[in-house]
Amino acid sequence: MTWTVAPEPYDSPIAAALWRAYYTEVSDRWYLLHEGRRTDPAELEREIAASTGAELAPPSGLLLVARYAGEPAGSAGIRLTADGTTAELTRVFLYERMRGRGGAALLVGAAEDAARARGATRMILDTRGDLVEARALYARLGYTETEPHNADPYAEHWFAKALG
């Protein structure tokens, strides 16, 4: 079986399904950890609808979708910051059944290549403390923890990497 990674419109049905799966997983993890329950369905629907992903539209953004044996398996997005030399990595996600096959590193690498192609020399990202798998992935791929670069209320760890 082989992996492919290609751009995907942020508002496609495939992108919507991946966003729903991503948001459901990270939201449920947070609520289970902090409140012992899953996300309220009404809240989940409001938040999914409120985050359209429009910031991932070209030319300043891009959504990439990984496919495994032709089946959508995950996503990663980038968006250039105002300075034009920094890109933010976001929405890195693989369906649980696709994990452990090298797809996450492939997605992040493709996102780095896309950021470089758009003139970025640095990639930044944020994540939460409970997303230990994500933090391990970023460290393994050469990202180093930095000072906060945003005020996202759910961000607890910030990373950066020179794209050279």
Side-chain angles (χ1 to χ4, degrees), residues 5-158:
V5 177
E8 180 79 22
Y10 75 90
D11 56 353
S12 76
I14 290 168
L18 285 160
W19 170 236
R20 174 173 291 282
Y22 168 87
Y23 192 82
T24 300
E25 182 173 325
V26 298
S27 183
D28 280 353
R29 274 179 87 158
W30 191 91
Y31 276 110
L32 286 167
L33 178 65
H34 295 282
E35 297 184 12
R37 64 173 180 87
R38 294 194 180 281
T39 311
D40 173 83
E43 177 187 354
L44 185 68
E45 292 307 317
R46 278 192 311 274
E47 292 302 317
I48 288 170
S51 298
T52 65
E55 72 278 7
L56 302 178
S60 61
L62 182 70
L63 179 67
L64 297 168
V65 167
R67 287 175 171 78
Y68 186 74
E71 177 185 347
S75 64
I78 61 164
R79 59 180 165 238
L80 292 176
T81 62
D83 73 6
T85 63
T86 301
E88 183 176 12
L89 181 64
T90 187
R91 295 193 187 192
V92 177
F93 174 74
L94 283 175
Y95 287 121
E96 188 172 0
R97 68 187 181 278
M98 297 294 181
R99 294 176 189 161
R101 302 176 189 189
L106 184 70
L107 267 168
V108 172
E112 291 171 356
D113 290 344
R116 271 189 218 93
R118 286 162 176 73
T121 58
R122 180 174 178 251
M123 185 81 86
I124 60 173
L125 63 95
D126 65 69
T127 191
R128 296 191 326 234
D130 63 309
L131 301 176
V132 294
E133 306 91 342
R135 291 185 4 247
L137 170 71
Y138 300 133
R140 189 172 70 249
L141 297 177
Y143 287 80
T144 57
E145 199 150 353
T146 65
E147 293 298 314
H149 60 260
N150 64 26
D152 183 324
Y154 295 105
E156 298 170 321
H157 297 271
W158 295 263

